[in-house]
């Protein structure tokens, strides 16, 4: 009771249970939500401390025997220090001019802002899902759904955030725990709708970038076609037949950092994977009264000559689409 743990610590919760009948199992609860069941001694739950919306968490266990008699343990309180947003790496983008579009039109953003250095990973998204699920802020069936307050084009209501049955998803739900396919924790999350990207940002009091903010972060005032220059090669970005070890699919964050036989390929402001790997949702509509949101940056299946890999290219789709 009253322990403190840094965010992200794997905490083993152990329950001891005895009975004059056979103990059948122990259920574990975090913040009054059933999280895990163990039917084999020692009765344990590996709790990955996720973003503490309430800093202090309550944990208890409930034992049950073969006659379904149940007893609840004492309740303990633990504090988690820090949160998931502390683990994000940020790049500063100062106010000023930047080149916009294929014709390199000079535009200006008159404010400083920050943008994440890497695309959101499966591990980061699982931290969000696990915590939001524990608080009842999302529901799960064949997909993950959450509430959206609505806008001028889409009514308030529940929308799909993440497709658990998508062709490329690496996140799964097992016994109320979200798990990640082995080897993919540091890969960017896929099968996320625009609503799923919005929900992740909203959860951590962040927001999605506008497409103007995205393009400035991608190439600054250079006029480059790509974040690093005007020529593309497989040692700089993940695209179709680029030769990375994961063809055809995502590559982990930071892979094109000058190690692993790659060439260091950040944007002028230090942002990675703004060319290829996965499309990035933005907060922008493709046009006034449109039902489509803008995506930027291209993805792993665009070939090297595809315009969508360029920093100025605009792609768009319905915000309900996850692929």
């Amino acid at each position: 009771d009253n322990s403190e743990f840094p965010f992200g610590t794997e905490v083993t919760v152990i329950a001891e249970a005895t009975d004059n009948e056979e103990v059948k199992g122990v259920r574990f609860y975090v913040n009054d939500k059933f999280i895990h069941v163990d039917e084999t001694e020692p009765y344990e739950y590996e709790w990955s401390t996720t973003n503490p919306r309430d800093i202090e968490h309550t944990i208890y266990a409930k034992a049950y025997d073969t006659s379904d008699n149940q007893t609840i343990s004492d309740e303990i309180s633990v504090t988690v220090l820090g949160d998931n947003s502390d683990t994000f790496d940020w790049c500063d983008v100062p106010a000023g001019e930047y080149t916009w579009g294929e014709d390199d039109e000079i535009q200006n953003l008159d404010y400083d802002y920050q943008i994440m250095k890497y695309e959101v990973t499966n591990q980061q998204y699982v931290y969000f899902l696990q915590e939001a699920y524990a608080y009842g802020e999302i529901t799960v069936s064949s997909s993950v759904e959450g509430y959206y307050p609505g806008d001028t084009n889409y009514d308030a209501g529940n929308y799909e955030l993440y497709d658990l049955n998508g062709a490329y998803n690496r996140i799964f739900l097992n016994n109320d725990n979200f798990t990640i396919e082995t080897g993919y924790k540091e890969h960017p999350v896929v099968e996320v709708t625009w609503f799923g990207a919005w929900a992740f940002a909203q959860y951590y009091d962040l927001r999605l970038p506008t497409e103007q903010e995205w393009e400035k972060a991608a190439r600054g005032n250079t006029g480059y076609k790509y974040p690093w220059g005007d020529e593309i090669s497989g040692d700089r970005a993940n695209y179709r037949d680029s030769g990375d070890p994961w063809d055809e699919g995502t590559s982990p964050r930071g892979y094109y950092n000058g190690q692993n036989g790659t060439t260091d390929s950040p944007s002028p402001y230090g942002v990675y994977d703004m060319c290829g790997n996965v499309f990035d949702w933005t907060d922008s509509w493709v046009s006034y009264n449109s039902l489509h949101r803008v995506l930027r940056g291209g993805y792993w299946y665009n070939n090297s000559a595809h315009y969508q890999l360029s920093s100025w290219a605009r792609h768009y789709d319905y915000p309900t689409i996850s692929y």
Side-chain angles (χ1 to χ4, degrees):
D1 198 23
N2 297 318
S3 296
E4 293 184 346
F5 302 100
F7 166 81
T9 304
E10 294 287 337
V11 178
T12 303
V13 183
I14 303 173
E16 296 179 351
T18 59
D19 191 46
N20 56 9
E21 295 187 38
E22 180 184 356
V23 176
K24 189 175 181 181
V26 171
R27 298 184 180 97
F28 292 87
Y29 295 77
V30 177
N31 302 323
D32 290 321
K33 181 174 179 62
F34 169 61
I35 295 293
H36 178 69
V37 62
D38 192 351
E39 295 187 343
T40 305
E41 282 193 278
Y43 305 109
E44 296 182 349
Y45 167 53
E46 294 294 331
W47 180 45
S48 177
T49 56
T50 53
N51 175 53
R53 182 67 66 87
D54 291 325
I55 301 299
E56 187 175 82
H57 298 261
T58 58
I59 303 172
Y60 61 87
K62 183 183 293 184
Y64 57 100
D65 64 16
T66 51
S67 297
D68 205 31
N69 298 306
Q70 301 182 36
T71 300
I72 297 177
S73 73
D74 291 337
E75 186 176 278
I76 63 172
S77 296
V78 298
T79 300
V80 179
L81 307 174
D83 60 40
N84 192 32
S85 61
D86 293 341
T87 70
F88 300 150
D89 295 302
W90 294 96
C91 294
D92 295 318
V93 183
E97 294 182 342
Y98 68 101
T99 44
W100 166 266
E102 187 173 5
D103 296 328
D104 297 337
E105 175 186 337
I106 301 299
Q107 293 198 4
N108 182 69
L109 289 177
D110 60 359
Y111 54 89
D112 303 334
Y113 61 98
Q114 290 185 312
I115 193 166
M116 287 174 63
K117 185 175 183 177
Y118 306 106
E119 293 162 327
V120 175
T121 65
N122 286 308
Q123 182 65 81
Q124 290 169 333
Y125 207 77
V126 160
Y127 284 150
F128 154 64
L129 290 178
Q130 196 68 54
E131 186 72 7
Y133 190 45
Y135 279 97
E137 296 187 12
I138 59 174
T139 58
V140 181
S141 54
S142 60
S143 65
V144 178
E145 293 188 351
Y147 180 77
Y148 178 66
D151 54 51
T152 56
N153 295 316
Y154 288 85
D155 293 335
N158 288 325
Y159 290 87
E160 182 181 62
L161 309 183
Y162 184 87
D163 186 358
L164 288 168
N165 294 314
Y168 297 103
N169 74 294
R170 308 293 182 182
I171 297 173
F172 310 94
L173 183 66
N174 297 307
N175 296 322
D176 280 339
N177 285 301
F178 288 95
T179 61
I180 303 169
E181 183 175 337
T182 301
Y184 282 89
K185 285 186 176 182
E186 293 300 305
H187 285 240
V189 63
V190 294
E191 300 294 351
V192 176
T193 66
W194 180 90
F195 294 106
W198 174 89
F200 177 91
Q202 185 79 6
Y203 195 83
Y204 297 116
D205 295 322
L206 308 173
R207 64 173 176 83
L208 297 177
T210 66
E211 63 170 326
Q212 289 78 15
E213 291 166 340
W214 189 97
E215 185 165 337
K216 180 173 181 177
R219 62 176 184 156
N221 202 23
T222 65
Y224 288 157
K225 183 176 182 180
Y226 306 108
W228 56 81
D230 292 323
E231 301 296 328
I232 193 169
S233 58
D235 63 324
R236 289 186 175 275
N238 180 8
Y239 51 86
R240 192 195 312 178
D241 298 324
S242 61
D244 68 274
W246 298 273
D247 272 359
E248 300 296 336
T250 58
S251 52
R253 70 172 184 173
Y255 181 72
Y256 296 96
N257 61 358
Q259 303 175 28
N260 321 299
T262 62
T263 299
D264 195 23
S265 302
S267 80
Y269 300 107
V271 191
Y272 285 87
D273 278 326
M274 301 196 85
C275 173
N277 211 10
V278 298
F279 270 119
D280 302 330
W281 284 113
T282 75
D283 195 46
S284 298
W285 299 100
V286 68
S287 61
Y288 178 72
N289 254 1
S290 170
L291 295 178
H292 295 93
R293 292 283 189 175
V294 175
L295 298 111
R296 289 299 200 108
Y299 79 122
W300 76 80
Y301 201 65
N302 293 137
N303 62 42
S304 59
H306 203 293
Y307 83 98
Q308 286 180 350
L309 292 174
S310 64
S311 298
W312 44 260
R314 305 173 79 222
H315 182 69
Y316 54 89
D317 217 323
Y318 292 105
T320 54
I321 294 298
S322 65
Y323 64 76

